Amino acid sequence: MIVGLLAILAIQDTARVAEAQSVISQLVESYGVSAAEAPVRQVVQRLLPTWARSETDTAGNLWVRVGQGDPVVVFVAHLDEIGYRIDSIRTDGSLVIRTRGGFFPSLFEAQPALVHAERNDIPGVFLPRDSGFTRRTPPPLRASVGATTRAGAESLGVKVGQTITMPKEYVRLAGTRATARSFDDRMGCAALILALRRLDRAKLDHQVVFLFSTREEIGLEGAEAAARQLGTTPRRVHAIDTFVSADSPLELQNFAVAPLGGGAVARPLDNSSITPPAYVDSLVALARTRGVALQVGTTNGGNDGSTFTPYGVVDVPMGWPLRYSHSPVEVVDLKDLVSLADLVRAIAEYW
């Protein structure tokens, strides 16, 4: 009897991981540099449950409202990813580019590039900055689509103001691990989608807002617009974003250690907000009651929920452990995505 029950649970876990992978892989393989999130927003809309009614505000944020009454609780995950913007096209056809978000330029240097044009993506490269053995102050990173003149680049459809990233692909690793670029914050978006798919709307006795925000990487701009619109109405906001973890051979183990595969992470202290201890205790108790794996830790970085706190809204941010943040090879564990989605659902239904 026990063996049969364990087999059923194992099958269910496998199915949950498979669904999580189906959602996150589609989100990761869409492109949306800050202020150019429309393709990602369209993928989110396609992946939402059929009953969900969404709306897009003037800041580009996507809203899904469920339930009615007080208290209003907000979940927010951002749509955008780091990337570059084309500032100018030089006479030799190379592209002068500016970062959109926090960057390690060396990770993009001498790598393939994609210019996101109106009709299609234009392939290119991020140019190596020199071939010498020493380099004290490297010149700014530039890109090229192969053209040798400004007119040649423009004839391909390249324009000032377009965004540029590198090609990316979701890749499954051993066990339940996976790697790609822009898990930050497509994992958060996936968690909201998965929670909405399983949400028991009959259990809601108040309104819950699921918000997919824009321009987080360049200053939390989309969330700030949403917070301004909602004002003092919400009681709590849960920013769902990366927990930059020291679970890596490269990192010291005295700060921000939350092992991959250990479950979702409550991040009550970061560079932008502090969660009152009573709320942390309540979240931990809820996770324990609902059987959801939850870790607690502090990390660097900010979160969208901090834009709500000036209005008296309590910020209770959550995330998942991530290795190699803002690199082309971010690494996650799909079990943490399942855990995070379960936690979002539990909060919506019971807290």
Side-chain angles (χ1 to χ4, degrees), residues 222-246:
E224 186 175 24
R228 189 165 53 247
Q229 178 177 333
L230 289 168
T232 60
T233 303
R235 176 177 295 179
R236 294 191 318 275
V237 58
H238 297 276
I240 313 299
D241 207 342
T242 306
F243 184 91
V244 180
S245 176

Side-chain angles (χ1 to χ4, degrees), residues 239-262:
I240 313 299
D241 207 342
T242 306
F243 184 91
V244 180
S245 176
D247 178 26
S248 158
L250 302 175
E251 307 293 338
L252 297 175
Q253 300 295 294
N254 58 356
F255 175 70
V257 178
L260 271 67

Side-chain angles (χ1 to χ4, degrees), residues 69-75 205-209 227 230-239 274-276 279 282 305 308-317 347 350-351:
D70 295 323
V72 176
V73 175
V74 179
F75 295 98
D205 57 4
H206 59 93
Q207 185 178 94
V208 180
V209 176
L230 289 168
T232 60
T233 303
R235 176 177 295 179
R236 294 191 318 275
V237 58
H238 297 276
I274 301 174
T275 304
Y279 284 84
S282 182
F308 289 74
T309 58
Y311 301 95
V313 182
V314 178
D315 184 14
V316 189
I347 291 170
Y350 297 104
W351 190 16

Side-chain angles (χ1 to χ4, degrees), residues 21-43:
Q21 175 167 271
S22 174
V23 171
I24 188 61
S25 61
Q26 294 180 68
L27 289 169
V28 159
E29 292 183 352
S30 60
Y31 294 87
V33 176
S34 295
E37 301 93 348
V40 188
R41 187 168 54 243
Q42 292 169 3
V43 175

